[in-house]
Amino acid sequence: MMTLDIDQEKRTELKVRSRMEHDGMTGLLNRETFIARVSRILKNSTPPKRHALIMLDIDEFKKHNDQYGHPYGDQVIRETARFIKGFLRKTDLCGRMGGDEFMVFLNDISSEEEMIPRIDMFCQILKHPDGENGEITCSLGVVFYPRDGRTFQELYQKADTALYDVKRTGRGNYRIYSPDLKRKGEEETGAF
């Protein structure tokens, strides 16, 4: 009897921990847990290890949500999460950062060049018809460790720059960060 009580207690503890680490709507890691896990991997990584970080969000989500209602928006978020999960390997991580923003961490990749077709395929997977409501697409900003940074914050900022650029120049696509993207953004805002 004592063993059953301990087993039940352990299962309850695991369920509580899982609820604390995962987003309730999608089952993906929540923002805090995703950042902590990626940061731990990066801290323990040294070149020649390589990783990719992808920031993505659903194109024109607010417009769709306002036009078709919040239950529809919630469904789109859950479907997008399902597509993301289907793309990942067991060693990869994904998280919902909030609203319609997600992040994917591709752990221990072979090379940046070999990832390009995979990222292109991922972008295509995220495009799907939505009946009479048109098409759902996502925009992606992509960065690579160690080329673009060695900390989560460095990679996050550059992925955000790449995402902003793809949204500025059109949607439903991806952009790999390069330093000239930052310069373009700074020139437009007048920052140096």
Side-chain angles (χ1 to χ4, degrees):
M1 283 295 237
M2 187 64 144
T3 304
L4 290 176
D5 290 341
I6 293 171
D7 288 345
Q8 180 62 36
E9 191 175 305
K10 188 68 174 170
R11 279 193 295 276
T12 301
E13 180 184 325
L14 290 172
K15 283 181 186 177
V16 168
R17 182 181 300 159
S18 180
R19 278 191 226 124
M20 289 173 44
E21 294 178 344
H22 291 83
D23 173 64
M25 182 186 298
T26 63
L28 301 178
L29 294 174
N30 65 30
R31 179 184 187 88
E32 295 78 20
T33 304
F34 180 85
I35 292 171
R37 289 188 185 178
V38 171
S39 295
R40 188 169 43 246
I41 292 169
L42 293 173
K43 184 178 177 183
N44 294 319
S45 293
T46 55
K49 280 262 192 197
R50 293 187 178 129
H51 311 291
L53 184 71
I54 303 171
M55 178 184 290
L56 67 108
D57 68 19
I58 301 166
D59 293 328
E60 301 183 321
F61 179 75
K62 183 176 177 358
K63 181 178 123 185
H64 290 296
N65 204 31
D66 290 347
Q67 188 170 356
Y68 303 114
H70 293 290
Y72 170 81
D74 291 350
Q75 176 188 335
V76 169
I77 287 172
R78 283 191 293 272
E79 283 179 7
T80 301
R82 186 173 54 84
F83 288 129
I84 293 170
K85 285 186 226 179
F87 170 77
L88 300 178
R89 303 168 299 170
K90 288 184 180 185
T91 57
D92 298 332
L93 299 172
C94 60
R96 181 174 176 216
M97 305 307 279
D100 66 318
E101 183 182 301
F102 301 87
M103 291 200 90
V104 171
F105 182 76
L106 303 176
N107 190 14
D108 198 16
I109 62 172
S110 53
S111 75
E112 295 167 19
E113 296 77 26
E114 288 182 24
M115 288 309 299
I116 304 301
R118 185 165 161 77
I119 292 167
D120 185 57
M121 181 180 72
F122 183 42
C123 191
Q124 297 308 313
I125 287 170
L126 292 168
K127 290 181 184 178
H128 57 282
D130 191 37
E132 62 205 37
N133 300 332
E135 182 179 51
I136 301 296
T137 61
C138 293
S139 294
L140 292 69
V142 182
V143 293
F144 295 102
Y145 166 95
R147 184 191 79 182
D148 299 317
R150 294 182 182 231
T151 67
F152 179 83
Q153 190 60 34
E154 290 172 328
L155 294 171
Y156 180 90
Q157 288 173 342
K158 291 175 180 174
D160 189 50
T161 298
L163 178 64
Y164 172 79
D165 188 68
V166 78
K167 286 193 161 290
R168 184 180 58 79
T169 58
R171 293 177 165 83
N173 208 342
Y174 67 93
R175 184 82 65 240
I176 295 172
Y177 175 81
S178 68
D180 63 319
L181 292 180
K182 185 173 185 185
R183 282 193 288 274
K184 284 181 192 173
E186 288 171 349
E187 288 167 8
E188 288 174 6
T189 61
F192 293 97

